Amino acid sequence: MEEKELDEQINEAVNEEAEKAVNEDVNADAEAAEDIPAKTGQQEDVAEENGGSGDKKEKKKSFLGKDKKEKANKLQEKVDELEDRVKRQMAEFDNFRKRSEKEKSAMFETGAKSVVEKILPVVDNFERGLAGLSEEEIKQPFAEGMNMIYKQLMAELEKLEVKPIAAVGCEFNPDLHNAVMQVESEEYASGIIAQELQKGYTYRDSVVRHSMVAVVQ
């Protein structure tokens, strides 16, 4: 009985150890099986992190490139705006210069016409004085001197582009002539100037004084 009980105890102990070993192997295999997906997941996480980092770098590079492009566009817009402003200012200055030159020329012409207009009565007096002299008086030294002064005065006026307006024998022109009376004439047709009562003058093609004339009716 003792030997049988001893054998049973030995077998029981062996079975326990075997069962224990089997359980340990099963647990080890289970842990290994669990570690495989864990490591795989870690590898995938690392790969995702590496890929994510690359994506982030690409996104960062793309963002920086876009930012630089936007800054370049804004800078170009600013340059275009400044160029447009400079062109406008240059155009305004050019218009101001032309307007100033035109006003200056107009003021000079107005002043010159005013001076010429004041000289014309002197010319009229010379002409009336010389026209009232007889042939003997015209030959006198005084009359000759007066005639020379008159010719010199007319020559200087002509240099200044002051010219008398043609009248007798010309067709009446309201822009040049001032009709103060109508006359009958066998020599001239109707509408033609038959007599000049006061000589008119132009300065640079601008009328300083209209001619006072008599027109054939």
Side-chain angles (χ1 to χ4, degrees), residues 105-151:
S105 178
M107 290 176 63
F108 178 80
E109 186 171 348
T110 301
K113 286 175 67 175
S114 178
V115 173
V116 171
E117 190 174 3
K118 292 178 180 179
I119 293 175
L120 292 181
V122 179
V123 175
D124 295 337
N125 290 332
F126 266 107
E127 290 177 348
R128 280 194 291 265
L130 293 173
L133 296 176
S134 62
E135 293 182 359
E136 293 181 358
E137 291 175 337
I138 291 176
K139 296 178 181 179
Q140 297 294 324
F142 178 77
E144 290 179 353
M146 294 292 292
N147 192 27
M148 290 177 61
I149 295 172
Y150 167 73
K151 289 181 179 179

Side-chain angles (χ1 to χ4, degrees), residues 31-58:
E31 290 177 358
E34 291 177 357
D35 288 338
I36 290 174
K39 290 181 180 179
T40 304
Q42 290 177 355
Q43 291 177 353
E44 290 177 354
D45 292 340
V46 171
E48 287 179 359
E49 289 178 0
N50 292 334
S53 178
D55 292 340
K56 289 180 179 179
K57 289 182 179 179
E58 292 295 330

Side-chain angles (χ1 to χ4, degrees), residues 153-168:
L153 178 59
M154 294 304 296
E156 293 299 325
L157 289 175
E158 187 174 359
K159 290 179 182 179
L160 295 175
E161 299 183 52
V162 178
K163 300 178 181 179
I165 297 173
V168 177

Side-chain angles (χ1 to χ4, degrees), residues 75-87:
L75 182 60
Q76 185 62 39
E77 289 177 0
K78 189 67 175 179
V79 171
D80 294 339
E81 181 182 353
L82 292 174
E83 286 182 353
D84 183 66
R85 187 181 301 176
V86 170
K87 289 180 180 179

